[in-house]
Amino acid sequence: MKKKIVILPGDGIGKEVTTEGKRVLETIASLFGHQFEYDEATIGHDAIEATGNPLPDETLAKLKNCDAILFGAVGHPKYDNDPSLKVRPEQGLLKMRKELGLYANLRPIKLFDELLQASAIKPEILKGSDILFFRELTGDVYFGEKGRKDDGNTAYDVMIYQRYEVERIAHKAFQAARTRKNKVTSVDKANVLESSRLWRAVVQEIGKLYPDVELEHQFIDSAAMKLIQNPRSFDVVLTGNLFGDILTDEASQIAGSMGMLASASVGDSVGLYEPIHGSAHDITGKGIANPLASILSAALLLDISFGLKEEAETIIKAVEKALALGFRTADIADAETDRAKILNTQAMGSLIVDQLMVSVKENQ
Ligand code: NAD
Protein backbone atom coordinates (compact mmCIF):
# COMPACT_ATOMS: atom_id res chain seq x y z
CA MET A 1 0.00 0.00 0.00
CA LYS A 2 1.28 3.50 -0.89
CA LYS A 3 0.31 6.32 1.51
CA LYS A 4 1.41 9.77 2.54
CA ILE A 5 1.60 10.48 6.29
CA VAL A 6 2.27 13.89 7.85
CA ILE A 7 4.05 13.83 11.22
CA LEU A 8 2.97 16.79 13.30
CA PRO A 9 5.10 16.63 16.46
CA GLY A 10 3.89 19.91 17.99
CA ASP A 11 5.38 20.97 21.33
CA GLY A 12 7.01 19.50 24.43
CA ILE A 13 7.01 15.70 24.60
CA GLY A 14 4.98 15.68 21.37
CA LYS A 15 8.30 15.60 19.49
CA GLU A 16 9.74 12.82 21.64
CA VAL A 17 6.76 10.49 21.37
CA THR A 18 5.97 10.99 17.67
CA THR A 19 9.58 10.08 16.84
CA GLU A 20 8.83 6.64 18.28
CA GLY A 21 5.38 6.47 16.65
CA LYS A 22 6.99 7.17 13.28
CA ARG A 23 9.69 4.51 13.88
CA VAL A 24 6.94 1.97 14.46
CA LEU A 25 5.17 3.00 11.23
CA GLU A 26 8.46 2.65 9.33
CA THR A 27 9.00 -0.80 10.78
CA ILE A 28 5.48 -1.91 9.88
CA ALA A 29 5.94 -0.60 6.33
CA SER A 30 9.13 -2.58 5.84
CA LEU A 31 7.75 -5.76 7.46
CA PHE A 32 4.47 -5.77 5.52
CA GLY A 33 5.76 -4.33 2.23
CA HIS A 34 4.01 -0.95 2.31
CA GLN A 35 5.35 2.35 1.02
CA PHE A 36 4.69 5.17 3.46
CA GLU A 37 5.98 8.58 2.48
CA TYR A 38 6.45 11.04 5.37
CA ASP A 39 6.34 14.79 5.61
CA GLU A 40 6.64 16.94 8.74
CA ALA A 41 4.98 20.23 9.69
CA THR A 42 4.79 22.64 12.62
CA ILE A 43 1.86 23.55 14.86
CA GLY A 44 1.40 25.19 18.27
CA HIS A 45 4.03 27.13 20.20
CA ASP A 46 6.87 26.29 17.82
CA ALA A 47 4.78 27.48 14.87
CA ILE A 48 3.92 30.72 16.68
CA GLU A 49 7.61 31.36 17.38
CA ALA A 50 8.52 30.73 13.76
CA THR A 51 5.62 32.38 11.93
CA GLY A 52 3.32 34.09 14.45
CA ASN A 53 0.58 31.62 13.49
CA PRO A 54 -0.28 28.44 15.52
CA LEU A 55 -1.41 26.71 12.30
CA PRO A 56 0.67 28.14 9.43
CA ASP A 57 -0.80 27.99 5.91
CA GLU A 58 2.05 25.75 4.83
CA THR A 59 1.10 23.21 7.54
CA LEU A 60 -2.56 23.31 6.61
CA ALA A 61 -1.74 22.74 2.94
CA LYS A 62 0.31 19.66 3.84
CA LEU A 63 -2.46 18.31 6.08
CA LYS A 64 -5.06 18.70 3.37
CA ASN A 65 -2.87 16.84 0.96
CA CYS A 66 -2.04 13.64 2.85
CA ASP A 67 -3.70 10.33 3.78
CA ALA A 68 -3.30 10.50 7.57
CA ILE A 69 -1.72 12.61 10.31
CA LEU A 70 0.25 11.46 13.36
CA PHE A 71 0.07 14.30 15.86
CA GLY A 72 1.91 14.81 19.18
CA ALA A 73 0.55 17.64 21.37
CA VAL A 74 0.56 21.42 21.62
CA GLY A 75 1.12 23.67 24.61
CA HIS A 76 3.76 25.68 26.43
CA PRO A 77 3.97 27.00 30.02
CA LYS A 78 4.17 30.57 28.70
CA TYR A 79 0.50 30.40 27.65
CA ASP A 80 -0.73 28.29 30.58
CA ASN A 81 0.46 31.00 32.96
CA ASP A 82 -0.86 33.95 30.95
CA PRO A 83 -4.48 33.51 29.72
CA SER A 84 -4.41 37.06 28.30
CA LEU A 85 -2.09 36.11 25.41
CA LYS A 86 -4.15 36.45 22.25
CA VAL A 87 -2.32 34.02 19.96
CA ARG A 88 -2.25 30.57 21.59
CA PRO A 89 -1.07 27.05 20.67
CA GLU A 90 -4.49 25.41 21.21
CA GLN A 91 -5.99 27.72 18.56
CA GLY A 92 -3.89 25.74 16.08
CA LEU A 93 -5.54 22.52 17.25
CA LEU A 94 -9.10 23.87 17.08
CA LYS A 95 -8.53 25.43 13.66
CA MET A 96 -7.00 22.21 12.37
CA ARG A 97 -10.07 20.19 13.49
CA LYS A 98 -12.38 22.71 11.86
CA GLU A 99 -10.45 23.04 8.59
CA LEU A 100 -10.19 19.26 8.20
CA GLY A 101 -13.86 18.69 9.08
CA LEU A 102 -13.00 16.31 11.94
CA TYR A 103 -16.37 15.74 13.59
CA ALA A 104 -15.89 12.48 15.47
CA ASN A 105 -13.38 11.79 18.21
CA LEU A 106 -12.70 8.12 18.78
CA ARG A 107 -11.10 7.03 22.00
CA PRO A 108 -10.47 3.33 22.57
CA ILE A 109 -10.15 2.42 26.24
CA LYS A 110 -8.36 -0.87 26.22
CA LEU A 111 -6.92 -2.20 29.38
CA PHE A 112 -3.69 -4.15 29.24
CA ASP A 113 -3.82 -6.96 31.80
CA GLU A 114 -0.31 -6.16 32.99
CA LEU A 115 -1.41 -2.67 34.03
CA LEU A 116 -4.52 -3.69 35.96
CA GLN A 117 -2.88 -2.63 39.21
CA ALA A 118 -2.18 0.89 37.88
CA SER A 119 -5.87 1.78 37.90
CA ALA A 120 -7.72 3.12 40.91
CA ILE A 121 -10.51 0.62 40.16
CA LYS A 122 -10.48 -2.98 41.44
CA PRO A 123 -8.83 -5.39 38.95
CA GLU A 124 -11.73 -7.89 39.08
CA ILE A 125 -14.12 -5.16 37.88
CA LEU A 126 -11.76 -3.92 35.18
CA LYS A 127 -10.35 -7.08 33.66
CA GLY A 128 -11.44 -7.48 30.05
CA SER A 129 -12.77 -3.91 29.66
CA ASP A 130 -12.61 -2.76 26.06
CA ILE A 131 -14.63 0.34 25.18
CA LEU A 132 -14.62 2.54 22.08
CA PHE A 133 -15.95 6.07 22.61
CA PHE A 134 -17.40 8.18 19.80
CA ARG A 135 -17.55 11.79 20.96
CA GLU A 136 -19.18 14.33 18.64
CA LEU A 137 -16.87 17.31 18.09
CA THR A 138 -18.70 20.05 16.20
CA GLY A 139 -21.94 20.78 18.08
CA ASP A 140 -23.30 21.14 21.63
CA VAL A 141 -22.71 23.93 24.17
CA TYR A 142 -19.24 24.55 22.74
CA PHE A 143 -20.65 25.97 19.53
CA GLY A 144 -24.16 27.20 20.48
CA GLU A 145 -24.96 30.84 21.10
CA LYS A 146 -23.35 32.12 24.28
CA GLY A 147 -23.35 35.37 26.16
CA ARG A 148 -24.16 37.44 29.22
CA LYS A 149 -27.07 39.66 30.04
CA ASP A 150 -28.48 41.57 33.03
CA ASP A 151 -25.26 43.54 33.48
CA GLY A 152 -23.22 40.39 33.32
CA ASN A 153 -25.12 38.61 36.07
CA THR A 154 -26.73 36.00 33.82
CA ALA A 155 -24.77 33.80 31.44
CA TYR A 156 -25.86 31.20 28.89
CA ASP A 157 -24.42 28.62 26.49
CA VAL A 158 -26.95 27.09 24.15
CA MET A 159 -26.81 23.31 23.76
CA ILE A 160 -27.53 22.78 20.09
CA TYR A 161 -27.53 19.81 17.76
CA GLN A 162 -28.57 19.46 14.15
CA ARG A 163 -29.91 16.22 12.68
CA TYR A 164 -27.04 15.78 10.21
CA GLU A 165 -24.46 16.11 12.98
CA VAL A 166 -26.03 13.24 14.90
CA GLU A 167 -26.63 11.12 11.79
CA ARG A 168 -23.08 11.14 10.50
CA ILE A 169 -21.43 10.18 13.80
CA ALA A 170 -24.14 7.60 14.58
CA HIS A 171 -23.34 5.84 11.28
CA LYS A 172 -19.67 5.72 12.23
CA ALA A 173 -20.47 4.29 15.68
CA PHE A 174 -22.78 1.56 14.34
CA GLN A 175 -20.27 0.63 11.66
CA ALA A 176 -17.53 0.34 14.28
CA ALA A 177 -19.78 -1.79 16.52
CA ARG A 178 -20.10 -4.29 13.67
CA THR A 179 -16.35 -4.91 13.83
CA ARG A 180 -16.50 -5.36 17.63
CA LYS A 181 -19.20 -6.77 19.93
CA ASN A 182 -22.19 -5.36 18.03
CA LYS A 183 -23.43 -3.06 20.75
CA VAL A 184 -23.89 0.73 20.84
CA THR A 185 -24.72 2.61 24.04
CA SER A 186 -25.97 6.09 23.19
CA VAL A 187 -25.57 8.52 26.10
CA ASP A 188 -27.78 11.61 26.48
CA LYS A 189 -30.04 13.44 28.93
CA ALA A 190 -33.29 12.98 27.01
CA ASN A 191 -35.42 13.13 30.15
CA VAL A 192 -34.52 16.83 30.50
CA LEU A 193 -32.91 18.26 27.36
CA GLU A 194 -34.61 18.91 24.01
CA SER A 195 -31.32 18.58 22.11
CA SER A 196 -30.93 15.14 23.73
CA ARG A 197 -34.45 14.17 22.60
CA LEU A 198 -33.45 14.97 19.02
CA TRP A 199 -30.17 13.08 19.56
CA ARG A 200 -32.03 10.00 20.81
CA ALA A 201 -34.66 10.04 18.04
CA VAL A 202 -32.01 10.31 15.32
CA VAL A 203 -29.84 7.57 16.85
CA GLN A 204 -32.91 5.31 16.97
CA GLU A 205 -33.63 5.97 13.30
CA ILE A 206 -30.06 5.25 12.27
CA GLY A 207 -30.04 2.19 14.53
CA LYS A 208 -32.84 0.66 12.43
CA LEU A 209 -30.41 0.55 9.50
CA TYR A 210 -28.15 -1.68 11.60
CA PRO A 211 -30.59 -4.32 12.94
CA ASP A 212 -27.70 -6.64 13.81
CA VAL A 213 -26.31 -4.09 16.29
CA GLU A 214 -27.85 -3.88 19.76
CA LEU A 215 -28.74 -0.30 20.69
CA GLU A 216 -29.26 0.87 24.24
CA HIS A 217 -29.74 4.39 25.64
CA GLN A 218 -28.42 5.62 28.95
CA PHE A 219 -28.69 8.96 30.68
CA ILE A 220 -25.35 10.65 31.25
CA ASP A 221 -25.61 10.51 35.05
CA SER A 222 -26.28 6.79 35.07
CA ALA A 223 -23.67 6.11 32.37
CA ALA A 224 -21.01 7.91 34.43
CA MET A 225 -21.82 5.63 37.34
CA LYS A 226 -21.99 2.38 35.32
CA LEU A 227 -18.66 3.11 33.66
CA ILE A 228 -16.96 2.63 37.01
CA GLN A 229 -19.38 0.02 38.36
CA ASN A 230 -19.34 -2.31 35.35
CA PRO A 231 -17.04 -1.12 32.54
CA ARG A 232 -17.24 -4.51 30.80
CA SER A 233 -20.92 -3.89 29.98
CA PHE A 234 -19.92 -1.27 27.35
CA ASP A 235 -18.75 -1.85 23.79
CA VAL A 236 -19.21 1.29 21.63
CA VAL A 237 -20.33 4.44 23.46
CA LEU A 238 -21.83 7.20 21.30
CA THR A 239 -22.30 10.63 22.82
CA GLY A 240 -22.30 14.40 22.32
CA ASN A 241 -19.48 16.87 22.76
CA LEU A 242 -19.96 17.87 26.40
CA PHE A 243 -20.95 14.48 27.81
CA GLY A 244 -18.16 12.90 25.76
CA ASP A 245 -15.60 15.34 27.10
CA ILE A 246 -16.39 14.32 30.65
CA LEU A 247 -16.98 10.60 30.11
CA THR A 248 -13.77 10.02 28.14
CA ASP A 249 -11.66 11.61 30.86
CA GLU A 250 -13.44 9.49 33.44
CA ALA A 251 -12.81 6.42 31.29
CA SER A 252 -9.10 7.25 30.93
CA GLN A 253 -8.81 6.32 34.60
CA ILE A 254 -9.92 2.82 33.72
CA ALA A 255 -6.71 2.47 31.75
CA GLY A 256 -4.62 3.83 34.59
CA SER A 257 -2.24 6.11 32.72
CA MET A 258 -2.38 9.04 30.32
CA GLY A 259 0.74 7.74 28.61
CA MET A 260 -1.12 4.68 27.28
CA LEU A 261 -4.17 6.14 25.58
CA ALA A 262 -4.52 6.95 21.89
CA SER A 263 -7.27 8.79 20.07
CA ALA A 264 -8.44 9.48 16.55
CA SER A 265 -10.35 12.43 15.12
CA VAL A 266 -12.08 11.61 11.89
CA GLY A 267 -14.49 13.17 9.44
CA ASP A 268 -15.08 12.57 5.79
CA SER A 269 -11.50 13.03 4.66
CA VAL A 270 -8.12 12.75 6.39
CA GLY A 271 -7.86 11.30 9.93
CA LEU A 272 -5.80 12.73 12.80
CA TYR A 273 -4.23 10.38 15.36
CA GLU A 274 -2.82 11.51 18.68
CA PRO A 275 -2.19 10.53 22.29
CA ILE A 276 -4.74 11.89 24.74
CA HIS A 277 -2.00 13.48 26.82
CA GLY A 278 -0.67 17.00 26.40
CA SER A 279 2.83 18.39 25.93
CA ALA A 280 3.84 17.57 29.56
CA HIS A 281 6.28 20.43 30.22
CA ASP A 282 7.30 18.87 33.52
CA ILE A 283 9.10 16.00 31.76
CA THR A 284 9.96 17.57 28.38
CA GLY A 285 13.56 17.00 27.31
CA LYS A 286 14.21 14.37 29.98
CA GLY A 287 13.71 11.47 27.57
CA ILE A 288 11.35 9.69 29.96
CA ALA A 289 7.97 10.27 28.26
CA ASN A 290 5.96 7.12 27.62
CA PRO A 291 5.78 6.71 23.82
CA LEU A 292 3.15 3.94 23.92
CA ALA A 293 0.16 6.27 23.43
CA SER A 294 1.79 7.62 20.27
CA ILE A 295 2.68 4.09 19.14
CA LEU A 296 -0.92 2.98 19.76
CA SER A 297 -2.06 6.08 17.84
CA ALA A 298 0.00 4.79 14.92
CA ALA A 299 -1.88 1.48 15.24
CA LEU A 300 -5.22 3.32 15.17
CA LEU A 301 -4.08 5.22 12.08
CA LEU A 302 -3.29 2.00 10.24
CA ASP A 303 -6.59 0.43 11.29
CA ILE A 304 -8.99 3.32 10.71
CA SER A 305 -7.47 5.36 7.89
CA PHE A 306 -5.80 2.55 5.92
CA GLY A 307 -7.90 -0.48 6.94
CA LEU A 308 -4.68 -2.36 7.85
CA LYS A 309 -6.13 -4.43 10.70
CA GLU A 310 -3.44 -7.09 10.85
CA GLU A 311 -0.69 -4.46 11.01
CA ALA A 312 -2.56 -2.56 13.75
CA GLU A 313 -3.11 -5.74 15.75
CA THR A 314 0.59 -6.60 15.39
CA ILE A 315 1.49 -3.29 17.06
CA ILE A 316 -0.99 -3.84 19.91
CA LYS A 317 0.39 -7.36 20.45
CA ALA A 318 3.96 -5.98 20.51
CA VAL A 319 2.94 -3.52 23.24
CA GLU A 320 1.24 -6.33 25.17
CA LYS A 321 4.37 -8.47 24.86
CA ALA A 322 6.67 -5.67 26.05
CA LEU A 323 4.46 -5.16 29.11
CA ALA A 324 4.19 -8.90 29.74
CA LEU A 325 7.99 -9.11 29.74
CA GLY A 326 7.92 -6.61 32.59
CA PHE A 327 9.19 -3.53 30.73
CA ARG A 328 7.77 -0.16 31.74
CA THR A 329 8.39 3.55 31.35
CA ALA A 330 8.59 5.47 34.63
CA ASP A 331 4.94 6.63 34.57
CA ILE A 332 3.59 3.06 34.54
CA ALA A 333 6.19 1.47 36.80
CA ASP A 334 5.31 0.53 40.37
CA ALA A 335 7.10 -0.77 43.45
CA GLU A 336 7.21 -4.28 41.98
CA THR A 337 8.81 -3.25 38.67
CA ASP A 338 12.35 -4.51 38.17
CA ARG A 339 14.39 -1.24 38.12
CA ALA A 340 16.46 -2.59 35.23
CA LYS A 341 13.28 -2.83 33.16
CA ILE A 342 12.31 0.84 33.47
CA LEU A 343 13.04 2.20 30.01
CA ASN A 344 13.40 5.70 28.59
CA THR A 345 11.36 6.89 25.61
CA GLN A 346 13.77 5.75 22.95
CA ALA A 347 14.47 2.38 24.55
CA MET A 348 10.74 1.64 24.82
CA GLY A 349 10.37 2.55 21.12
CA SER A 350 13.27 0.22 20.24
CA LEU A 351 11.74 -2.59 22.30
CA ILE A 352 8.44 -2.30 20.42
CA VAL A 353 10.29 -2.29 17.08
CA ASP A 354 12.15 -5.46 18.17
CA GLN A 355 8.89 -7.11 19.25
CA LEU A 356 7.30 -6.27 15.90
CA MET A 357 10.14 -7.95 14.05
CA VAL A 358 9.99 -11.01 16.30
CA SER A 359 6.23 -11.41 15.98
CA VAL A 360 6.25 -11.07 12.18
CA LYS A 361 9.10 -13.63 11.94
CA GLU A 362 7.21 -16.04 14.21
CA ASN A 363 4.17 -15.85 11.95
CA GLN A 364 6.10 -16.51 8.73
P1 NAD B 1 -0.40 16.62 30.23
O1 NAD B 1 -1.17 15.49 29.66
O2 NAD B 1 0.61 17.23 29.36
O3 NAD B 1 0.34 16.10 31.57
C1 NAD B 1 -0.35 15.66 32.72
C2 NAD B 1 0.59 14.79 33.58
O4 NAD B 1 0.77 13.52 32.95
C3 NAD B 1 1.99 15.38 33.71
O5 NAD B 1 2.49 15.12 35.00
C4 NAD B 1 2.81 14.65 32.69
O6 NAD B 1 4.18 14.54 33.01
C5 NAD B 1 2.13 13.29 32.65
N1 NAD B 1 2.21 12.70 31.31
C6 NAD B 1 1.46 13.07 30.24
N2 NAD B 1 1.82 12.35 29.17
C7 NAD B 1 2.79 11.52 29.58
C8 NAD B 1 3.59 10.53 28.92
N3 NAD B 1 3.44 10.25 27.61
N4 NAD B 1 4.53 9.88 29.64
C9 NAD B 1 4.70 10.12 30.94
N5 NAD B 1 3.98 11.04 31.63
C10 NAD B 1 3.05 11.73 30.94
O7 NAD B 1 -1.46 17.70 30.74
P2 NAD B 1 -1.24 19.13 31.41
O8 NAD B 1 -0.02 19.11 32.29
O9 NAD B 1 -2.52 19.52 31.96
O10 NAD B 1 -0.93 20.10 30.19
C11 NAD B 1 0.40 20.40 29.71
C12 NAD B 1 0.27 21.19 28.42
O11 NAD B 1 -0.32 20.37 27.41
C13 NAD B 1 -0.62 22.43 28.52
O12 NAD B 1 -0.01 23.47 27.80
C14 NAD B 1 -1.93 22.01 27.87
O13 NAD B 1 -2.60 23.10 27.30
C15 NAD B 1 -1.43 21.06 26.82
N6 NAD B 1 -2.40 20.03 26.39
C16 NAD B 1 -2.44 19.75 25.06
C17 NAD B 1 -3.28 18.76 24.59
C18 NAD B 1 -3.24 18.45 23.12
O14 NAD B 1 -2.39 18.95 22.41
N7 NAD B 1 -4.14 17.62 22.61
C19 NAD B 1 -4.06 18.01 25.47
C20 NAD B 1 -3.99 18.30 26.85
C21 NAD B 1 -3.14 19.31 27.29
Side-chain angles (χ1 to χ4, degrees):
M1 183 180 278
K2 229 175 162 172
K3 294 284 182 192
K4 207 163 160 187
I5 301 171
V6 171
I7 309 289
L8 201 56
D11 303 319
I13 64 163
K15 296 185 182 64
E16 300 163 37
V17 297
T18 48
T19 300
E20 304 311 316
K22 182 182 173 195
R23 257 207 310 154
V24 162
L25 286 171
E26 286 169 338
T27 308
I28 286 286
S30 81
L31 290 172
F32 286 83
H34 301 303
Q35 277 177 279
F36 296 158
E37 188 190 314
Y38 303 92
D39 202 348
E40 200 165 309
T42 59
I43 186 170
H45 167 71
D46 276 13
I48 297 174
E49 293 290 298
T51 67
N53 183 350
L55 184 67
D57 292 344
E58 192 196 343
T59 295
L60 192 55
K62 285 183 180 180
L63 301 181
K64 285 187 169 170
N65 189 26
C66 72
D67 299 303
I69 304 159
L70 187 71
F71 172 52
V74 291
H76 190 274
K78 178 173 145 187
Y79 307 89
D80 297 347
N81 302 331
D82 185 357
S84 70
L85 286 171
K86 291 269 176 295
V87 181
R88 309 181 60 79
E90 58 271 22
Q91 289 164 349
L93 189 56
L94 293 177
K95 186 169 176 212
M96 174 168 65
R97 286 183 182 149
K98 191 160 187 275
E99 290 279 342
L100 299 178
L102 303 173
Y103 59 78
N105 182 246
L106 278 68
R107 197 181 282 192
I109 305 285
K110 182 174 160 48
L111 191 71
F112 292 95
D113 282 353
E114 292 73 19
L115 298 181
L116 275 173
Q117 303 299 339
S119 172
I121 304 169
K122 286 186 198 137
E124 61 270 27
I125 290 179
L126 281 183
K127 200 167 167 26
S129 301
D130 182 359
I131 310 172
L132 178 57
F133 280 89
F134 277 77
R135 169 190 169 193
E136 205 287 327
L137 281 182
T138 63
D140 215 332
V141 286
Y142 299 87
F143 297 98
E145 192 190 335
K146 54 185 79 234
R148 296 227 180 175
K149 53 186 186 179
D150 302 337
D151 290 337
N153 292 319
T154 302
Y156 58 94
D157 300 273
V158 174
M159 184 177 261
I160 183 163
Y161 262 112
Q162 299 179 65
R163 168 175 285 277
Y164 82 93
E165 289 173 320
V166 188
E167 280 175 354
R168 62 188 182 180
I169 191 170
H171 277 295
K172 286 210 183 289
F174 281 104
Q175 282 158 11
R178 278 185 167 163
T179 68
R180 296 169 50 94
K181 292 186 221 129
N182 273 301
K183 182 176 174 187
V184 170
T185 303
S186 174
V187 176
D188 60 36
K189 188 74 182 165
N191 50 343
V192 178
L193 302 170
E194 196 54 39
S195 54
S196 278
R197 284 193 271 272
L198 174 72
W199 177 280
R200 189 175 284 217
V202 175
V203 172
Q204 276 166 351
E205 275 173 36
I206 303 297
K208 290 197 181 111
L209 304 174
Y210 301 85
D212 50 320
V213 179
E214 181 193 345
L215 169 63
E216 70 169 12
H217 301 277
Q218 285 189 20
F219 296 132
I220 175 65
D221 38 353
S222 143
M225 186 256 297
K226 285 195 184 139
L227 201 52
I228 299 296
Q229 188 192 45
N230 187 10
R232 275 196 300 269
S233 67
F234 294 94
D235 178 21
V236 170
V237 176
L238 165 65
T239 190
N241 209 344
L242 178 64
F243 300 151
D245 194 359
I246 300 164
L247 275 191
T248 52
D249 262 25
E250 182 190 346
S252 73
Q253 283 312 296
I254 293 176
S257 167
M258 303 272 281
M260 297 297 300
L261 289 178
S263 83
S265 296
V266 298
D268 292 322
S269 58
V270 66
L272 173 82
Y273 300 84
E274 60 178 306
I276 70 157
H277 63 70
S279 47
H281 320 303
D282 52 340
I283 57 166
T284 297
K286 295 185 179 164
I288 57 168
N290 183 347
L292 294 177
S294 182
I295 288 170
L296 292 168
S297 300
L300 262 188
L301 179 157
L302 295 173
D303 181 353
I304 297 174
S305 276
F306 301 167
L308 297 175
K309 296 220 172 288
E310 188 189 345
E311 287 81 341
E313 198 49 41
T314 307
I315 296 176
I316 295 169
K317 290 238 167 70
V319 171
E320 273 167 357
K321 189 74 195 295
L323 296 173
L325 290 170
F327 291 100
R328 303 282 187 273
T329 43
D331 59 311
I332 50 172
D334 60 23
E336 278 156 38
T337 308
D338 175 352
R339 298 294 102 181
K341 289 188 171 176
I342 300 183
L343 305 181
N344 64 25
T345 312
Q346 209 182 0
M348 181 56 94
S350 300
L351 177 66
I352 302 300
V353 165
D354 291 347
Q355 290 304 321
L356 287 172
M357 296 202 278
V358 169
S359 86
V360 169
K361 261 204 196 110
E362 276 172 2
N363 289 331
Q364 270 170 356

